Amino acid sequence: MTEQHGDAITPTVEDGVAILTIDNPPVNAISQAVRQGLMSAIGEVAGDATVKAVVIIGAGKVFIAGADVREFGRLPLEPFLPEVIAAIEGSEKPVIAAIHGVCLGGGLEIALGCHYRIAAPDARLGFPEVNLGIIPGAGGTQRLPRLIGVEKALDLVTTGRQVAAKEVLELGIVDALAEGDLLETARTFARERAGKAPPRLSERPVVPPPDGFFDRQREAITRRARGQESPLRALEAIQAAAELPFADGLKRERAIFQELRGSDQAKALRHVFFAERAVSKVPGLEDAKPRRIESIAVIGGGTMGAGIAVAALRAGLPVTMVEADEAAVERGRSNVARNFDGFVSRGRMSEQQKAEHMDRLSAGADYGALAGADLAIEAVFEDMEVKKAVFARLDQAMKPGAVLATNTSYLDVNEIAASTGRPADVIGLHFFSPAHVMRLLEIVRADQTAGDVVATGFAVARTLGKVGVLSGVCDGFIGNRILARTRRQADYMIEDGALPWEVDAAMEAFGMPMGPFRVMDLAGLDISWAARKRQAATRDPQERYVAIADRICEKGWFGQKTGRGWYVYENGKPKPNPEVERTVLEESAGKGITRRPFTADEIQGRMLHAMINEGARIVEEKIAQRPLDVDVVEIFGYGFPRWRGGPMCQADLIGLDKVLATIEEFARGDPAFWVPAELLRRLVADGKTFADLNG
Ligand code: T1G
Ligand code: NAD
């Protein structure tokens, strides 16, 4: 039986066992060809008297990564996956899933349709559908509770978490782990089952959960999901499994799946799935080869330097830290240790692992120690003169070909580069605080940065487990430039009538983990106050300036670290600061502003449109490569809800003509702030979307 089934399945029969190998690189996604291939192969083995049992296995590195995400936007083609799985489960000959690598979504549903499951030690199973805005659509929510119980099934399906082989066995999802060769183990297992009646999950009863289980879970999930629909809909499907016969539960699941597939949230989450993978593909740099980075130097061991050092040490790289003097060296070292302690206390690292990481850190005040380093990341004070002095010393100390990076937030990377004798080797690597936690890394290409240095930036991001996004040089790069713009809008709103906690509540309801004023309190109000004082001399006197934050800082209130800022902190909990309310009212009155109420809708609308408009300018100026790069920055660096797809994706979902009309409407009240981006006007005129620019 060697004939080909679709492009993707290669069946072979040996010693009574048919092996169906799914071969659809790179991840064996379940394309139409795979579905068709499986369907005909199952039909064929049914009619082949020499076949006594069947093994389904994946070629390459994985079993099956799930349905083909690229097919989601299109009309589904037959055969549909539930039918294929029904055919597998209905087989009179036992079918065994032999699982290695990932087995996700539809892949796990196929495995649950099989009568037995065997996993290799590297297997990872899960239902990531909720992360794509959908739920399993081919029986996963109905079969899993029948296998491992409602409670455990609900956890897996509503969180989308992936489970490693050992836990999979403990949960009872697989029948055995393969110690040696997976295919051989599965084949032996199959022969032992040949001729016996295959057990089918669809025929098993569901053990009902304790009273009130679904109500309690619904509440907990609603809180956790922050506006995302799919986890709650997944609960609904699991509840159907507990309350309805299998066939009816299956129908209910399919209906929810189909309803969600075309939803805005699913579109947004699909966009993010592909955007996350597209950011590292930089047009024009396809052939650039990254330089080898085997050791990293970090200059400055403060908040950022210590976080960057931890990220590098955890990735297995040796780190040399250089600080200003011996006392600062000790502080730097203990900052690094403290970050590791955070992992240890949360049970995410052992004391032993911490000690091993600390052993690979050397810290001192001597730049001579940097001669062997492949990459230096500077994270000293945000002051051009200090940075230039550091780069002059790096220029002397580092070997030829080493990469010199700055973690500056706002300073001009071109000016820093020009202060060295090797501007082509200089780049910005802008980490986000805390640098050992936040996933975003802005890779800032200056005018003379070499292509292979940019490629090295992306390679470093990957090594550190971060998402790298390319940015050009401008004030604040992509993320902080948008942040500055939206903060200004927030300031205007509180001076015009909103209160800081109303703005925060509205943005939290939008899906942000924290509103802008709470974020400021967390970061400390003193740093931006110092920056505003520095900028005072050069500020355009025509520009509207809101001095409320200055008034708060003048009282010595710098946010959480002083126990008071926009909020008052008692036992770490924020309560609106009544003095702030008084200050806000006084400032409005002082400017003769008649305060007016702002609804949550208006607050969200103003903040979002400020983001979209600035994002459009950033794309127009080619600071960001594409709109999707802006989306990824906002999601991974600023907590923009993933299920909204980022501000540019939101704009497309709203409709660019409506977005432009709203900005023009806002402009009637404040023409200086709300100048529509040229790019936005052009796209509307041409009937195009931001997605059209994503390529
Ligand atoms: N469909 C199509 N392409 C996919 C894909 C998928 N499911 N998964 C990965 N790719 C592409 C990806 O775009 C990239 O392409 C390449 O494979 C390598 O991926 C009915 C409805 C599998 C763990 O959500 O989690 O089943 O960029 O760079 O780090 O109920 O990809 O090279 O052109 O990420 O080794 C559920 C999503 C679908 C799995 C591999 N499945 N994928 O990670 O490589 S819904 C998922 C992943 C479903 C059923 C429902 C990861 C990975 P390119 P990569 P990686
Ligand atoms: P920090 O004040 O916590 O740390 C700066 C460290 O640099 C201090 O430990 C200081 O001793 C050291 N230093 C000063 N001069 C030095 C020199 N000549 N040689 C060696 N070390 C020297 O500051 P931070 O918050 O870590 O910020 C560092 C940089 O990172 C700044 O450019 C900042 O803009 C940027 N950044 C900060 C954040 C943030 O949220 N804190 C986020 C992204 C980027």
Side-chain angles (χ1 to χ4, degrees):
M1 194 165 72
T2 49
E3 122 203 23
Q4 200 71 16
H5 294 269
D7 292 343
I9 315 279
T10 332
T12 55
V13 185
E14 200 182 296
D15 208 5
V17 180
I19 311 294
L20 311 188
T21 306
I22 297 173
D23 189 2
N24 182 25
V27 294
N28 295 334
I30 313 166
S31 59
Q32 192 272 340
V34 169
R35 294 195 299 275
Q36 184 63 59
L38 266 175
M39 195 65 158
S40 8
I42 286 293
E44 199 162 326
V45 294
D48 184 339
T50 66
V51 174
K52 306 291 180 214
V54 183
V55 170
I56 301 180
I57 194 164
K61 286 201 212 128
V62 308
F63 179 66
I64 300 172
D68 191 332
V69 181
R70 285 165 309 191
E71 286 185 357
F72 281 12
R74 306 186 210 136
L75 208 61
L77 293 173
E78 292 193 16
F80 302 133
L81 190 56
E83 296 157 15
V84 176
I85 293 174
I88 294 172
E89 195 183 46
S91 162
E92 295 301 331
K93 303 173 184 181
V95 184
I96 290 96
I99 303 165
H100 74 300
V102 292
C103 168
L104 302 174
L108 181 49
E109 293 180 298
I110 289 179
L112 293 173
C114 292
H115 308 115
Y116 301 97
R117 289 152 292 279
I118 294 190
D122 73 337
R124 263 168 42 222
L125 280 67
F127 279 123
E129 281 87 345
V130 286
N131 302 325
L132 290 167
I134 54 177
I135 67 163
T141 65
Q142 305 304 302
R143 287 193 178 88
L144 192 60
R146 289 176 157 80
L147 182 61
I148 64 170
V150 168
E151 288 96 328
K152 287 171 186 157
L154 185 104
D155 167 50
L156 289 192
V157 177
T158 58
T159 61
R161 81 181 170 91
Q162 290 181 20
V163 184
K166 201 166 145 276
E167 193 188 344
V168 170
L169 182 67
E170 283 161 12
L171 284 170
I173 299 179
V174 298
D175 299 283
L177 290 191
E179 296 303 336
D181 182 70
L182 175 65
L183 182 57
E184 224 19 77
T185 313
R187 220 198 292 259
T188 307
F189 192 94
R191 270 190 220 109
E192 288 165 12
R193 292 335 178 258
K196 295 185 186 148
R200 300 188 175 97
L201 284 178
S202 62
E203 293 169 0
R204 276 207 211 174
V206 182
V207 180
D211 275 356
F213 171 77
F214 287 112
D215 291 339
R216 283 192 300 280
Q217 288 296 320
R218 191 175 299 108
E219 243 173 68
I221 293 171
T222 306
R223 228 174 304 125
R224 215 174 50 219
R226 302 187 147 280
Q228 186 175 340
E229 280 176 64
S230 51
L232 276 172
R233 303 305 306 272
L235 175 140
E236 201 181 318
I238 299 270
Q239 188 162 5
E243 295 171 358
L244 302 177
F246 181 78
D248 294 344
L250 212 54
K251 274 192 210 132
R252 186 84 205 98
E253 176 199 77
R254 194 71 184 166
I256 299 172
F257 166 76
Q258 279 169 341
E259 200 184 308
L260 291 181
R261 193 174 50 185
S263 68
D264 279 359
Q265 292 199 4
K267 283 184 199 149
L269 286 161
R270 274 203 301 278
H271 161 74
V272 181
F273 176 83
F274 288 113
E276 213 180 313
R277 286 162 177 79
V279 280
S280 61
K281 292 171 189 147
V282 177
L285 281 187
E286 293 81 2
D287 299 326
K289 229 177 126 242
R291 298 184 188 175
R292 274 165 83 99
I293 303 294
E294 283 164 359
S295 63
I296 290 193
V298 177
I299 320 303
T303 311
M304 293 309 287
I308 295 166
V310 167
L313 290 166
R314 287 193 76 202
L317 292 163
V319 173
T320 307
M321 177 181 278
V322 174
E323 255 290 354
D325 53 45
E326 283 307 323
V329 170
E330 272 326 296
R331 274 202 307 278
R333 194 181 268 287
S334 62
N335 287 343
V336 173
R338 194 158 0 95
N339 286 339
F340 279 127
D341 287 339
F343 289 114
V344 174
S345 67
R346 271 176 280 127
R348 299 205 19 223
M349 186 181 285
S350 66
E351 282 290 348
Q352 167 76 18
Q353 285 167 320
K354 174 190 162 186
E356 282 165 18
H357 287 317
M358 289 302 287
D359 275 351
R360 274 183 285 108
L361 173 72
S362 60
D366 176 16
Y367 280 77
L370 302 184
D374 299 316
L375 161 70
I377 304 174
E378 164 278 311
V380 303
F381 301 136
E382 183 78 341
D383 179 302
M384 185 56 95
E385 292 318 307
V386 178
K387 296 220 191 261
K388 279 187 180 167
V390 167
F391 271 79
R393 300 187 68 175
L394 289 177
D395 205 2
Q396 280 172 358
M398 304 284 291
K399 66 187 174 192
V403 173
L404 276 52
T406 173
N407 181 46
T408 182
S409 308
Y410 288 96
L411 299 175
D412 183 349
V413 183
N414 281 319
E415 192 176 337
I416 295 173
S419 75
T420 71
R422 40 174 134 173
D425 296 339
V426 176
I427 192 166
L429 289 181
H430 184 220
F431 290 79
F432 288 71
S433 184
H436 55 297
V437 177
M438 295 295 289
R439 301 260 334 267
L440 179 65
L441 178 65
E442 281 181 329
I443 297 168
V444 185
R445 171 162 62 182
D447 292 348
Q448 295 194 49
T449 308
D452 64 341
V453 171
V454 176
T456 308
F458 280 101
V460 168
R462 237 186 330 275
T463 305
L464 303 188
K466 309 231 177 265
V467 180
V469 177
L470 188 64
S471 171
V473 175
C474 68
D475 200 11
F477 314 123
I478 298 172
N480 280 344
R481 177 167 156 183
I482 293 176
L483 181 72
R485 201 69 195 154
T486 51
R487 285 221 171 135
R488 179 154 353 150
Q489 186 54 212
D491 275 349
Y492 290 177
M493 284 192 279
I494 62 170
E495 204 171 58
D496 287 339
L499 289 167
W501 29 96
E502 290 169 359
V503 174
D504 282 355
M507 294 319 289
E508 285 160 23
F510 181 79
M512 305 295 286
M514 252 191 217
F517 293 97
R518 278 190 63 195
V519 174
M520 283 184 244
D521 266 3
L522 187 68
L525 306 181
D526 46 335
I527 297 168
S528 42
W529 188 32
R532 288 195 299 278
K533 285 195 272 196
R534 271 201 308 276
Q535 292 153 0
T538 52
R539 190 172 297 125
D540 176 0
Q542 298 300 309
E543 184 191 300
R544 176 173 176 186
Y545 182 76
V546 177
I548 299 169
D550 297 350
R551 298 288 97 80
I552 294 170
C553 289
E554 284 157 13
K555 297 189 167 92
W557 298 342
F558 298 152
Q560 219 157 316
K561 62 182 163 192
T562 61
R564 238 163 233 270
W566 299 102
Y567 294 84
V568 181
Y569 296 84
E570 279 160 19
N571 312 322
K573 279 207 158 159
K575 271 200 227 120
N577 184 345
E579 303 273 348
V580 165
E581 182 162 351
R582 201 166 313 138
T583 306
V584 166
L585 299 182
E586 277 167 18
E587 286 293 313
S588 303
K591 285 198 186 168
I593 293 170
T594 309
R595 292 176 64 80
R596 67 171 180 92
F598 281 78
T599 61
D601 252 12
E602 180 174 359
I603 293 169
Q604 292 167 356
R606 285 177 176 268
M607 295 292 272
L608 177 63
H609 284 79
M611 261 184 228
I612 295 169
N613 204 34
E614 196 63 20
R617 281 208 194 96
I618 286 170
V619 173
E620 180 182 308
E621 292 169 23
K622 302 200 163 45
I623 298 295
Q625 303 276 303
R626 300 146 295 200
L628 68 84
D629 296 85
V630 175
D631 286 337
V632 171
V633 163
E634 287 302 317
I635 290 166
F636 288 90
Y638 298 84
F640 193 97
R642 189 181 168 97
W643 56 268
R644 287 191 187 268
M648 314 316 275
C649 174
Q650 274 291 297
D652 278 349
L653 289 171
I654 294 169
L656 295 192
D657 50 346
K658 285 207 189 107
V659 168
L660 179 59
T662 302
I663 292 176
E664 282 168 343
E665 171 69 31
F666 290 154
R668 266 178 233 132
D670 182 358
F673 183 90
W674 295 104
V675 181
E678 241 347 280
L679 176 65
L680 180 59
R681 283 192 190 288
R682 209 166 55 234
L683 289 173
V684 171
D686 297 348
K688 293 212 163 116
T689 62
F690 285 126
D692 291 327
L693 304 177
N694 285 333

mmCIF file of all heavy atoms in Angstrom, residues 107-137:
data_model
loop_
_atom_site.group_PDB
_atom_site.id
_atom_site.type_symbol
_atom_site.label_atom_id
_atom_site.label_comp_id
_atom_site.label_asym_id
_atom_site.label_seq_id
_atom_site.Cartn_x
_atom_site.Cartn_y
_atom_site.Cartn_z
ATOM 1 N N GLY A 107 -4.393 18.877 16.370
ATOM 2 C CA GLY A 107 -3.478 17.737 16.498
ATOM 3 C C GLY A 107 -3.843 16.897 17.713
ATOM 4 O O GLY A 107 -3.899 15.662 17.657
ATOM 5 N N LEU A 108 -4.141 17.585 18.815
ATOM 6 C CA LEU A 108 -4.541 16.878 20.032
ATOM 7 C C LEU A 108 -5.931 16.277 19.845
ATOM 8 O O LEU A 108 -6.230 15.192 20.355
ATOM 9 C CB LEU A 108 -4.501 17.843 21.232
ATOM 10 C CG LEU A 108 -4.861 17.272 22.602
ATOM 11 C CD1 LEU A 108 -4.108 15.985 22.906
ATOM 12 C CD2 LEU A 108 -4.560 18.304 23.702
ATOM 13 N N GLU A 109 -6.759 16.961 19.073
ATOM 14 C CA GLU A 109 -8.100 16.412 18.825
ATOM 15 C C GLU A 109 -8.002 15.115 18.030
ATOM 16 O O GLU A 109 -8.737 14.156 18.287
ATOM 17 C CB GLU A 109 -8.970 17.446 18.106
ATOM 18 C CG GLU A 109 -9.258 18.634 19.015
ATOM 19 C CD GLU A 109 -10.126 19.680 18.352
ATOM 20 O OE1 GLU A 109 -9.684 20.248 17.333
ATOM 21 O OE2 GLU A 109 -11.238 19.932 18.842
ATOM 22 N N ILE A 110 -7.083 15.079 17.067
ATOM 23 C CA ILE A 110 -6.866 13.834 16.313
ATOM 24 C C ILE A 110 -6.391 12.752 17.284
ATOM 25 O O ILE A 110 -6.877 11.617 17.272
ATOM 26 C CB ILE A 110 -5.833 14.049 15.178
ATOM 27 C CG1 ILE A 110 -6.461 14.911 14.075
ATOM 28 C CG2 ILE A 110 -5.345 12.717 14.630
ATOM 29 C CD1 ILE A 110 -5.541 15.213 12.906
ATOM 30 N N ALA A 111 -5.452 13.117 18.165
ATOM 31 C CA ALA A 111 -4.926 12.141 19.120
ATOM 32 C C ALA A 111 -6.040 11.616 20.033
ATOM 33 O O ALA A 111 -6.044 10.439 20.398
ATOM 34 C CB ALA A 111 -3.806 12.769 19.935
ATOM 35 N N LEU A 112 -6.988 12.494 20.398
ATOM 36 C CA LEU A 112 -8.091 12.062 21.274
ATOM 37 C C LEU A 112 -9.102 11.196 20.511
ATOM 38 O O LEU A 112 -9.825 10.404 21.109
ATOM 39 C CB LEU A 112 -8.810 13.270 21.884
ATOM 40 C CG LEU A 112 -7.997 14.105 22.873
ATOM 41 C CD1 LEU A 112 -8.760 15.363 23.273
ATOM 42 C CD2 LEU A 112 -7.630 13.294 24.117
ATOM 43 N N GLY A 113 -9.146 11.372 19.201
ATOM 44 C CA GLY A 113 -9.990 10.520 18.361
ATOM 45 C C GLY A 113 -9.380 9.126 18.226
ATOM 46 O O GLY A 113 -10.086 8.145 17.993
ATOM 47 N N CYS A 114 -8.047 9.039 18.354
ATOM 48 C CA CYS A 114 -7.373 7.736 18.323
ATOM 49 C C CYS A 114 -7.771 6.960 19.583
ATOM 50 O O CYS A 114 -8.221 7.531 20.568
ATOM 51 C CB CYS A 114 -5.862 7.913 18.283
ATOM 52 S SG CYS A 114 -5.284 8.638 16.733
ATOM 53 N N HIS A 115 -7.549 5.660 19.546
ATOM 54 C CA HIS A 115 -7.979 4.835 20.680
ATOM 55 C C HIS A 115 -6.936 4.776 21.782
ATOM 56 O O HIS A 115 -7.258 4.517 22.931
ATOM 57 C CB HIS A 115 -8.340 3.437 20.171
ATOM 58 C CG HIS A 115 -9.307 3.494 19.029
ATOM 59 N ND1 HIS A 115 -8.999 3.072 17.758
ATOM 60 C CD2 HIS A 115 -10.567 4.011 18.956
ATOM 61 C CE1 HIS A 115 -10.031 3.284 16.953
ATOM 62 N NE2 HIS A 115 -10.995 3.858 17.651
ATOM 63 N N TYR A 116 -5.674 5.013 21.399
ATOM 64 C CA TYR A 116 -4.586 5.030 22.390
ATOM 65 C C TYR A 116 -3.604 6.125 22.004
ATOM 66 O O TYR A 116 -3.500 6.509 20.845
ATOM 67 C CB TYR A 116 -3.851 3.677 22.409
ATOM 68 C CG TYR A 116 -4.734 2.510 22.724
ATOM 69 C CD1 TYR A 116 -5.256 1.723 21.682
ATOM 70 C CD2 TYR A 116 -5.048 2.192 24.043
ATOM 71 C CE1 TYR A 116 -6.088 0.636 21.961
ATOM 72 C CE2 TYR A 116 -5.874 1.100 24.326
ATOM 73 C CZ TYR A 116 -6.391 0.332 23.282
ATOM 74 O OH TYR A 116 -7.204 -0.732 23.558
ATOM 75 N N ARG A 117 -2.852 6.586 23.002
ATOM 76 C CA ARG A 117 -1.861 7.625 22.769
ATOM 77 C C ARG A 117 -0.551 7.259 23.464
ATOM 78 O O ARG A 117 -0.572 6.871 24.646
ATOM 79 C CB ARG A 117 -2.342 8.989 23.306
ATOM 80 C CG ARG A 117 -3.455 9.607 22.498
ATOM 81 C CD ARG A 117 -4.358 10.502 23.310
ATOM 82 N NE ARG A 117 -5.132 9.738 24.271
ATOM 83 C CZ ARG A 117 -6.243 9.065 23.977
ATOM 84 N NH1 ARG A 117 -6.728 9.103 22.763
ATOM 85 N NH2 ARG A 117 -6.875 8.361 24.904
ATOM 86 N N ILE A 118 0.553 7.411 22.721
ATOM 87 C CA ILE A 118 1.876 7.175 23.293
ATOM 88 C C ILE A 118 2.707 8.411 23.001
ATOM 89 O O ILE A 118 2.650 8.956 21.895
ATOM 90 C CB ILE A 118 2.522 5.941 22.637
ATOM 91 C CG1 ILE A 118 1.701 4.725 23.033
ATOM 92 C CG2 ILE A 118 3.978 5.795 23.073
ATOM 93 C CD1 ILE A 118 2.313 3.441 22.672
ATOM 94 N N ALA A 119 3.453 8.892 24.008
ATOM 95 C CA ALA A 119 4.201 10.132 23.793
ATOM 96 C C ALA A 119 5.695 9.914 24.002
ATOM 97 O O ALA A 119 6.112 9.142 24.873
ATOM 98 C CB ALA A 119 3.700 11.216 24.746
ATOM 99 N N ALA A 120 6.488 10.618 23.202
ATOM 100 C CA ALA A 120 7.942 10.661 23.410
ATOM 101 C C ALA A 120 8.214 11.651 24.544
ATOM 102 O O ALA A 120 7.373 12.516 24.827
ATOM 103 C CB ALA A 120 8.619 11.108 22.128
ATOM 104 N N PRO A 121 9.382 11.539 25.196
ATOM 105 C CA PRO A 121 9.661 12.427 26.323
ATOM 106 C C PRO A 121 9.685 13.913 25.945
ATOM 107 O O PRO A 121 9.514 14.779 26.803
ATOM 108 C CB PRO A 121 11.055 11.985 26.794
ATOM 109 C CG PRO A 121 11.256 10.615 26.231
ATOM 110 C CD PRO A 121 10.422 10.517 25.002
ATOM 111 N N ASP A 122 9.871 14.250 24.647
ATOM 112 C CA ASP A 122 9.925 15.670 24.258
ATOM 113 C C ASP A 122 8.541 16.212 23.885
ATOM 114 O O ASP A 122 8.412 17.354 23.434
ATOM 115 C CB ASP A 122 10.896 15.864 23.080
ATOM 116 C CG ASP A 122 10.312 15.336 21.770
ATOM 117 O OD1 ASP A 122 9.399 14.462 21.816
ATOM 118 O OD2 ASP A 122 10.751 15.794 20.695
ATOM 119 N N ALA A 123 7.490 15.416 24.077
ATOM 120 C CA ALA A 123 6.156 15.832 23.612
ATOM 121 C C ALA A 123 5.606 16.991 24.442
ATOM 122 O O ALA A 123 5.868 17.095 25.645
ATOM 123 C CB ALA A 123 5.200 14.649 23.675
ATOM 124 N N ARG A 124 4.874 17.882 23.770
ATOM 125 C CA ARG A 124 4.172 18.992 24.454
ATOM 126 C C ARG A 124 2.760 19.071 23.889
ATOM 127 O O ARG A 124 2.582 19.263 22.699
ATOM 128 C CB ARG A 124 4.910 20.300 24.200
ATOM 129 C CG ARG A 124 5.844 20.661 25.343
ATOM 130 C CD ARG A 124 6.775 21.799 24.969
ATOM 131 N NE ARG A 124 6.137 22.874 24.243
ATOM 132 C CZ ARG A 124 6.699 23.480 23.199
ATOM 133 N NH1 ARG A 124 7.876 23.116 22.767
ATOM 134 N NH2 ARG A 124 6.084 24.459 22.599
ATOM 135 N N LEU A 125 1.780 18.893 24.767
ATOM 136 C CA LEU A 125 0.394 18.856 24.311
ATOM 137 C C LEU A 125 -0.385 20.058 24.840
ATOM 138 O O LEU A 125 -0.104 20.543 25.944
ATOM 139 C CB LEU A 125 -0.275 17.564 24.802
ATOM 140 C CG LEU A 125 0.006 16.269 24.011
ATOM 141 C CD1 LEU A 125 1.459 15.842 24.147
ATOM 142 C CD2 LEU A 125 -0.915 15.147 24.466
ATOM 143 N N GLY A 126 -1.361 20.485 24.072
ATOM 144 C CA GLY A 126 -2.178 21.580 24.571
ATOM 145 C C GLY A 126 -3.242 22.007 23.578
ATOM 146 O O GLY A 126 -3.241 21.599 22.418
ATOM 147 N N PHE A 127 -4.153 22.830 24.091
ATOM 148 C CA PHE A 127 -5.195 23.432 23.259
ATOM 149 C C PHE A 127 -4.984 24.943 23.232
ATOM 150 O O PHE A 127 -5.545 25.667 24.057
ATOM 151 C CB PHE A 127 -6.585 23.114 23.836
ATOM 152 C CG PHE A 127 -7.097 21.747 23.463
ATOM 153 C CD1 PHE A 127 -7.450 20.829 24.437
ATOM 154 C CD2 PHE A 127 -7.223 21.378 22.124
ATOM 155 C CE1 PHE A 127 -7.930 19.561 24.087
ATOM 156 C CE2 PHE A 127 -7.696 20.115 21.764
ATOM 157 C CZ PHE A 127 -8.044 19.207 22.753
ATOM 158 N N PRO A 128 -4.169 25.460 22.314
ATOM 159 C CA PRO A 128 -3.885 26.899 22.288
ATOM 160 C C PRO A 128 -4.988 27.722 21.639
ATOM 161 O O PRO A 128 -4.836 28.933 21.480
ATOM 162 C CB PRO A 128 -2.590 26.980 21.466
ATOM 163 C CG PRO A 128 -2.642 25.787 20.580
ATOM 164 C CD PRO A 128 -3.423 24.726 21.285
ATOM 165 N N GLU A 129 -6.104 27.097 21.267
ATOM 166 C CA GLU A 129 -7.140 27.819 20.508
ATOM 167 C C GLU A 129 -7.567 29.125 21.146
ATOM 168 O O GLU A 129 -7.782 30.119 20.452
ATOM 169 C CB GLU A 129 -8.376 26.917 20.315
ATOM 170 C CG GLU A 129 -8.234 25.894 19.209
ATOM 171 C CD GLU A 129 -7.583 24.602 19.701
ATOM 172 O OE1 GLU A 129 -6.999 24.607 20.801
ATOM 173 O OE2 GLU A 129 -7.668 23.595 18.981
ATOM 174 N N VAL A 130 -7.730 29.129 22.492
ATOM 175 C CA VAL A 130 -8.206 30.376 23.120
ATOM 176 C C VAL A 130 -7.264 31.539 22.787
ATOM 177 O O VAL A 130 -7.694 32.680 22.687
ATOM 178 C CB VAL A 130 -8.370 30.276 24.657
ATOM 179 C CG1 VAL A 130 -9.598 29.458 25.013
ATOM 180 C CG2 VAL A 130 -7.125 29.759 25.342
ATOM 181 N N ASN A 131 -5.970 31.237 22.599
ATOM 182 C CA ASN A 131 -5.018 32.297 22.255
ATOM 183 C C ASN A 131 -5.200 32.794 20.828
ATOM 184 O O ASN A 131 -4.605 33.796 20.436
ATOM 185 C CB ASN A 131 -3.581 31.799 22.434
ATOM 186 C CG ASN A 131 -3.328 31.340 23.848
ATOM 187 O OD1 ASN A 131 -3.880 31.921 24.789
ATOM 188 N ND2 ASN A 131 -2.538 30.295 24.018
ATOM 189 N N LEU A 132 -5.978 32.078 20.050
ATOM 190 C CA LEU A 132 -6.303 32.523 18.696
ATOM 191 C C LEU A 132 -7.744 33.037 18.634
ATOM 192 O O LEU A 132 -8.300 33.226 17.555
ATOM 193 C CB LEU A 132 -6.108 31.376 17.696
ATOM 194 C CG LEU A 132 -4.660 30.959 17.427
ATOM 195 C CD1 LEU A 132 -4.607 29.635 16.673
ATOM 196 C CD2 LEU A 132 -3.916 32.035 16.644
ATOM 197 N N GLY A 133 -8.347 33.208 19.802
ATOM 198 C CA GLY A 133 -9.698 33.780 19.843
ATOM 199 C C GLY A 133 -10.802 32.777 19.537
ATOM 200 O O GLY A 133 -11.945 33.177 19.318
ATOM 201 N N ILE A 134 -10.458 31.493 19.502
ATOM 202 C CA ILE A 134 -11.465 30.472 19.189
ATOM 203 C C ILE A 134 -11.451 29.401 20.275
ATOM 204 O O ILE A 134 -10.796 29.578 21.302
ATOM 205 C CB ILE A 134 -11.191 29.834 17.800
ATOM 206 C CG1 ILE A 134 -9.752 29.302 17.743
ATOM 207 C CG2 ILE A 134 -11.445 30.832 16.708
ATOM 208 C CD1 ILE A 134 -9.404 28.595 16.446
ATOM 209 N N ILE A 135 -12.181 28.305 20.044
ATOM 210 C CA ILE A 135 -12.103 27.148 20.940
ATOM 211 C C ILE A 135 -11.837 25.930 20.061
ATOM 212 O O ILE A 135 -11.999 26.021 18.846
ATOM 213 C CB ILE A 135 -13.407 26.961 21.760
ATOM 214 C CG1 ILE A 135 -14.570 26.585 20.827
ATOM 215 C CG2 ILE A 135 -13.741 28.219 22.567
ATOM 216 C CD1 ILE A 135 -15.768 25.999 21.567
ATOM 217 N N PRO A 136 -11.426 24.819 20.647
ATOM 218 C CA PRO A 136 -11.237 23.621 19.825
ATOM 219 C C PRO A 136 -12.535 23.336 19.077
ATOM 220 O O PRO A 136 -13.620 23.445 19.654
ATOM 221 C CB PRO A 136 -10.934 22.529 20.851
ATOM 222 C CG PRO A 136 -10.354 23.263 22.027
ATOM 223 C CD PRO A 136 -11.099 24.564 22.067
ATOM 224 N N GLY A 137 -12.444 22.981 17.809
ATOM 225 C CA GLY A 137 -13.654 22.856 17.000
ATOM 226 C C GLY A 137 -13.888 21.465 16.473
ATOM 227 O O GLY A 137 -14.746 21.255 15.628
#
